[in-house]
Amino acid sequence: MEARKAAAVALNICAYAFRIIGIALCALVIMLCFPGIVNQLGLTGLVIDLSRVLPGVIAGWGVIVSPFGGVFRFDFLIVGIVFFVLDFACSRFSRAVR
């Protein structure tokens, strides 16, 4: 019984981590639409590092110029949605294990 509870807690922790990463990526997508925010916060290095981490299939895919002067990164949005799906799956499995 303790192993099931430990697995449920571990899945819950993973779900929270995935949720935080997904929220951070979606916030980054919104911030990238405004170049002033990116320059003030110094996010250019972070964006370059994240672009290098992405798989080559989607890296740089769907980069659209926003009307505000920045860019909309559809590839970051896709990865953020994947993290939300992983969050949902971990939450479901955690409830099922308990």
Side-chain angles (χ1 to χ4, degrees), residues 30-55:
I30 293 170
M31 285 189 283
L32 286 173
C33 289
F34 305 97
I37 295 173
V38 175
N39 291 335
Q40 287 179 351
L41 296 177
L43 296 175
T44 307
L46 175 68
V47 171
I48 291 170
D49 291 339
L50 285 176
S51 295
R52 288 182 183 156
V53 172
L54 289 177

Side-chain angles (χ1 to χ4, degrees), residues 14-90:
C14 287
Y16 283 123
F18 289 146
R19 188 175 308 153
I20 290 170
I21 294 170
I23 290 170
L25 278 172
C26 289
L28 182 63
V29 167
I30 293 170
M31 285 189 283
L32 286 173
C33 289
F34 305 97
I37 295 173
V38 175
N39 291 335
Q40 287 179 351
L41 296 177
L43 296 175
T44 307
L46 175 68
V47 171
I48 291 170
D49 291 339
L50 285 176
S51 295
R52 288 182 183 156
V53 172
L54 289 177
V57 175
I58 64 168
W61 187 74
V63 178
I64 303 167
V65 178
S66 75
F68 306 109
V71 292
F72 180 79
R73 297 287 307 248
F74 193 67
D75 52 352
F76 286 179
L77 186 64
I78 290 171
V79 174
I81 290 170
V82 167
F83 276 112
F84 282 125
V85 169
L86 289 172
D87 163 43
F88 179 75
C90 284

